[in-house]
Amino acid sequence: MNRCAKTVLVGIMTMAVILGVQVWAEPASAASIGYVNIQELFNQHPSLPEAQEKYAALYVEVQQELQEAESSMSQEELRQLQAQLQNKLGEKEQQIQQELISDIYAIVAEVASSLQLDIVLRGENVVVGGQDITEEVLAKY
């Protein structure tokens, strides 16, 4: 190896050692991690019963509309109407779920901030460790 290459190699090795020592000398701070049982939070959300009632009323309305249409529509028209009404029910269900989940996430963020947690996971993703904040979130309902 020529003298220039040796000098560069020594310089690179020296930098690696210095950086390596720096990494070991200053360990990264551990993140504070919490977790929640999202299904429990969803099932106990105070707006869930009202949302279920609205969905049930829409379901009854859809069923009545289908029954009324049976006598005046062809099979193909009836299938198309049924598909439209099923889409309507699906959209309503998604809207209800999204509203509840958004509210839950806002409360989780508030609790996480108050407990100075850096990360909050769904409980089903946690094998070991972390702080269960489900009860704290439920208390905010």
Side-chain angles (χ1 to χ4, degrees):
M1 229 191 255
N2 67 26
R3 184 166 175 77
C4 184
K6 286 182 183 178
T7 305
V8 170
L9 184 58
V10 169
I12 291 173
M13 290 174 64
T14 304
M15 290 294 287
V17 169
I18 291 171
L19 291 175
V21 170
Q22 186 67 21
V23 169
W24 288 105
E26 296 179 24
S29 63
S32 300
I33 300 173
Y35 63 91
V36 293
N37 180 333
I38 199 74
Q39 191 63 47
E40 182 178 351
L41 294 176
F42 188 85
N43 290 339
Q44 293 191 34
H45 195 283
S47 298
L48 183 62
E50 180 184 345
Q52 288 172 325
E53 287 175 18
K54 287 180 182 178
Y55 183 81
L58 180 61
Y59 182 82
V60 168
E61 182 182 310
V62 164
Q63 290 297 331
Q64 288 173 346
E65 190 173 338
L66 275 174
Q67 287 175 351
E68 292 170 6
E70 279 181 336
S71 61
S72 63
M73 291 184 153
S74 69
Q75 288 289 55
E76 183 59 32
E77 291 172 326
L78 194 56
R79 274 194 284 272
Q80 288 176 356
L81 177 62
Q82 187 176 23
Q84 289 173 352
L85 294 174
Q86 284 177 337
N87 285 339
K88 184 178 180 179
L89 284 172
E91 289 171 3
K92 184 64 173 177
E93 182 178 21
Q94 281 184 320
Q95 176 196 354
I96 289 169
Q97 288 177 350
Q98 188 57 47
E99 288 172 1
L100 293 175
I101 292 295
S102 292
D103 187 50
I104 290 168
Y105 284 178
I107 297 170
V108 167
E110 179 184 326
V111 169
S113 177
S114 72
L115 295 174
Q116 298 179 346
L117 297 174
D118 298 316
I119 301 169
V120 177
L121 304 170
R122 289 175 175 242
E124 63 267 15
N125 296 326
V126 176
V127 176
V128 67
Q131 177 182 353
D132 186 356
I133 63 167
T134 305
E135 292 301 319
E136 288 85 346
V137 174
L138 288 172
K140 292 279 186 177
Y141 279 169

